[in-house]
C-alpha cells in the first residue's frame, strides 16, 4: 500500500480542506471617539488547495451616537437651565456687596458649561443663542445690573420660560434679546468702538 | 399621553371582594351581564373561575370567587365606560355590595427618542441621587429601576420606572401574566407578537402606575375607575416629564 505523500488529502477531506475561514472584527466607536487599534494574527494550516480567508470588519456606531440625541440634549439643557435660573435668583444675597462680580462668576461658568454641553445638539442652536446672550450679561461690567431685584426676577423668568421648554424657537431668542435690552443690557456682547467716519457723518448732520 | 400611545399601554383593573357561598349560584347571571358589555363570543368556565375573552379588542374579563379582573394589551379595543359597565353589572348580579380592594394598573412602554444609556444618564439628579454621590456606590451606572410608593388624591400609588433596551422590553412583555388569554390559538395567532413588534427596536421607557383604594361601595367603583385612569395618565406624564426636566402640565 502506497504511503500518502506529504499534503496528500484523503478522499472525502478535500471539501473540508478548502472551506473558507472567516474572521470577524467589531469596531465599536465610543462616545469619546477615541481611536483604538485591533491587531490579530492567525495561522492557516497547510492545505492541498488554496484556502479562501474571509475578513469581516464591522463598525458599530451606536455608542458614538450616545448622548447626542435631540430629546436627550433638550433634557440636559432644561436641567442646567433650572440650575442657572436658581443661581440668578440666589444673587439677591450678594446684591449689595461691592464684590458682586465675584459672585456672578459661577453663573458665567455655568453658562459656558451649558454652551459646551449643547455644542453637539443639532436642534439646540436657538437655545445656544439665548445662553450666549445670558452669558454676556455677566461680562464687561454688566453684572452691576444684577444688583436690581427686577433684573434678577426677569432674567430668571426668561431662563425658566424660554430654556425650560420643549423647543426653543428663533422667536424666543428675539424675545430674550428685547427683554435684556429693556433691562439695560447689551445682548450683542462687547461694545464695538465707534468708527471715525461715522462720527464725521454724524457731525455733518448736526445743523450749524 | 395614553391617547397617543394606545398601542403601548397595557391596563389591568381588579375588584377584590369577600367570597360568599351565594356567589356560586349567581355566577352565571353575572357572566351574562358582563358578556353583554364585553361583546365576547369566547368564554371559558371552570370550577374556580370564568373568563370572557374579547380577542379582537385584545382584552378579557375574569371572574372568580374572590375577584373580578379585566386586562388588556393595548388600549385600542376598549373604553372606560365598557370596563365600568362590565364590573358594575357583574358585581351587582353576583351580589357583591362592598369591594375590599379596587386596583387599576397601567403599564406604558414609552418611546422617548433617546438611547437606553441616555435615559439612564438622566436618572441621577431626577430619580436618583446626583451622579457624584452614586459614584461612591457603583463605578458606572449602567441601568436603574425605580419604585416609588405614595398617594394620589386619596388613592395609594405605586409607580415603577425603568429605561429599557429592546431585550428588556421584550422580556417584560413576555413576562406579563395571562398572555395566553389574548390569543385564540397560541400556535398561529400573532397578536402578542404583533404587539411587541410594533414597538420596533428602539429603547423604551417603562412606566407602571398602580392606583388602589381599599373598602369601597360597589356604587363607588365607577368613580374609582374614572379617577384612577385619569391619575395613572397624569402620573405617567409627570414621570416622563420629570426625567426630561420638563415642568408638570397644569
Amino acid at each position: 500500500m502506497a504511503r500518502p505523500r506529504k499534503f496528500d488529502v484523503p478522499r472525502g477531506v478535500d471539501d473540508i480542506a478548502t472551506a473558507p475561514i472567516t474572521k470577524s472584527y467589531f469596531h465599536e466607536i465610543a462616545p469619546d471617539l477615541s481611536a483604538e487599534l485591533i491587531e490579530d494574527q492567525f495561522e492557516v494550516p497547510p492545505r492541498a488547495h488554496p484556502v479562501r480567508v474571509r475578513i469581516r470588519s464591522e463598525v458599530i456606531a451606536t455608542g458614538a451616537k450616545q448622548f447626542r440625541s435631540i430629546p436627550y440634549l433638550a433634557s440636559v439643557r432644561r436641567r442646567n437651565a433650572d440650575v442657572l435660573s436658581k443661581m440668578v435668583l440666589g444673587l439677591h444675597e450678594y446684591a449689595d456687596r461691592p464684590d458682586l462680580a465675584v459672585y456672578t462668576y459661577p453663573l458665567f461658568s455655568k453658562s459656558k458649561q451649558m454652551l459646551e454641553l449643547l455644542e453637539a445638539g443639532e436642534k439646540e442652536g436657538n437655545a445656544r443663542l439665548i445662553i450666549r446672550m445670558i452669558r454676556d450679561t455677566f461680562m464687561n461690567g454688566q453684572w452691576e445690573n444684577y444688583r436690581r431685584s427686577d433684573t434678577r426676577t426677569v432674567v430668571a423668568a426668561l431662563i425658566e420660560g424660554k430654556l425650560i421648554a420643549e423647543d426653543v424657537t428663533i422667536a424666543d431668542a428675539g424675545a430674550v434679546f428685547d427683554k435684556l435690552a429693556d433691562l439695560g443690557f447689551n445682548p450683542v456682547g462687547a461694545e464695538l468702538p465707534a468708527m471715525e467716519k461715522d462720527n464725521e457723518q454724524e457731525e455733518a448732520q448736526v445743523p450749524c | 399621553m395614553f391617547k397617543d400611545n394606545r398601542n403601548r399601554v397595557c391596563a389591568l383593573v381588579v375588584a377584590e371582594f369577600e367570597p360568599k357561598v351565594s356567589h356560586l349560584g349567581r355566577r352565571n347571571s353575572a357572566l351574562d351581564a358582563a358578556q353583554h358589555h364585553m361583546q365576547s363570543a369566547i368564554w371559558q368556565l371552570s370550577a374556580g373561575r370564568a373568563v370572557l375573552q374579547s380577542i379582537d379588542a385584545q382584552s378579557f374579563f375574569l371572574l372568580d370567587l374572590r375577584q373580578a379582573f379585566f386586562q388588556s394589551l393595548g388600549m385600542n379595543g376598549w373604553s372606560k365606560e365598557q370596563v365600568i359597565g362590565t364590573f358594575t353589572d357583574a358585581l351587582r348580579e353576583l351580589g357583591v355590595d362592598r369591594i375590599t380592594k379596587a386596583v387599576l394598573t397601567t403599564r406604558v412602554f414609552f418611546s422617548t427618542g433617546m438611547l437606553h444609556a441616555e435615559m439612564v444618564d438622566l436618572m441621577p439628579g431626577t430619580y436618583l441621587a446626583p451622579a457624584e454621590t452614586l459614584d461612591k456606590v457603583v463605578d458606572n451606572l449602567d441601568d436603574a429601576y425605580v419604585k416609588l410608593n405614595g398617594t394620589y388624591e386619596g388613592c395609594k400609588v405605586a409607580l415603577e420606572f425603568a429605561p429599557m433596551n429592546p431585550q428588556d422590553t421584550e422580556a417584560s412583555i413576555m413576562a406579563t401574566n395571562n398572555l395566553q388569554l389574548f390569543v385564540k390559538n397560541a400556535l398561529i395567532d400573532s397578536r402578542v407578537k404583533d404587539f411587541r413588534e410594533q414597538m420596533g427596536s428602539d429603547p423604551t421607557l417603562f412606566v407602571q402606575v398602580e392606583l388602589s383604594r381599599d373598602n369601597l361601595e360597589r356604587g363607588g367603583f365607577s368613580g374609582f375607575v374614572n379617577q384612577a385612569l385619569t391619575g395613572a395618565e397624569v402620573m405617567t406624564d409627570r414621570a416622563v416629564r420629570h426625567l426630561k426636566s420638563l415642568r408638570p402640565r397644569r
Side-chain angles (χ1 to χ4, degrees), chain A residues 45 61 76 97 131 207:
Chain A
V76 169
R97 291 181 62 121
I131 296 164

Side-chain angles (χ1 to χ4, degrees), chain B residues 186-222:
Chain B
L187 294 175
I188 54 171
D189 198 323
S190 64
R191 283 179 175 86
V192 173
K193 182 171 160 277
D194 294 345
F195 179 76
R196 159 70 192 98
E197 284 183 355
Q198 48 92 23
M199 292 190 196
S201 58
D202 294 334
T204 59
L205 188 60
F206 170 80
V207 187
Q208 178 173 303
V209 182
E210 181 186 292
L211 291 110
S212 63
R213 197 181 270 273
D214 292 336
N215 199 21
L216 70 158
E217 301 274 336
R218 187 186 67 226
F221 188 74
S222 61

Side-chain angles (χ1 to χ4, degrees), chain B residues 26-65:
Chain B
R26 293 172 174 171
R27 192 175 65 172
N28 289 356
S29 56
L31 279 177
D32 215 21
Q35 194 170 31
H36 170 71
H37 292 284
M38 290 292 290
Q39 297 169 340
S40 165
I42 302 173
W43 52 274
Q44 300 173 21
L45 206 56
S46 65
R49 66 176 204 176
V51 180
L52 297 172
Q53 283 173 272
S54 191
I55 295 289
D56 289 335
Q58 300 200 147
S59 60
F60 69 85
F61 177 73
L62 184 149
L63 191 65
D64 66 23
L65 297 175

Side-chain angles (χ1 to χ4, degrees), chain A residues 62 65-69 71-72 74-76 78-79 82 160 164-166, chain B residues 112-115 117-118 121-126 241 243-247:
Chain A
T62 315
K65 288 181 196 160
Q66 276 178 13
F67 309 111
R68 282 167 179 258
S69 76
Y72 171 76
S75 303
V76 169
R78 289 188 286 263
R79 179 184 284 209
D82 190 36
E160 180 105 359
I164 309 180
E166 289 266 10
Chain B
T112 59
M114 286 188 248
L115 295 169
E118 292 174 337
D121 188 62
L122 293 175
M123 296 280 278
T126 51
R241 291 178 76 86
L243 182 78
K244 296 163 94 176
S245 296
L246 277 164
R247 298 276 182 258

Side-chain angles (χ1 to χ4, degrees), chain B residues 139-154:
Chain B
D139 291 346
N140 289 304
L141 184 71
D142 290 332
D143 210 348
Y145 189 99
V146 171
K147 184 172 180 183
L148 305 174
N149 287 298
T151 57
Y152 173 83
E153 293 186 356

Side-chain angles (χ1 to χ4, degrees), chain B residues 125-179:
Chain B
T126 51
Y127 284 92
L128 303 173
E132 52 274 21
T133 311
L134 289 175
D135 286 351
K136 292 170 187 160
V137 184
V138 285
D139 291 346
N140 289 304
L141 184 71
D142 290 332
D143 210 348
Y145 189 99
V146 171
K147 184 172 180 183
L148 305 174
N149 287 298
T151 57
Y152 173 83
E153 293 186 356
C155 292
K156 286 183 196 163
V157 174
L159 186 144
E160 292 174 46
F161 187 91
M164 286 191 173
N165 60 34
Q167 291 79 16
D168 295 335
T169 306
E170 185 164 295
S172 288
I173 292 170
M174 297 317 289
T176 306
N177 289 336
N178 306 312
L179 277 183

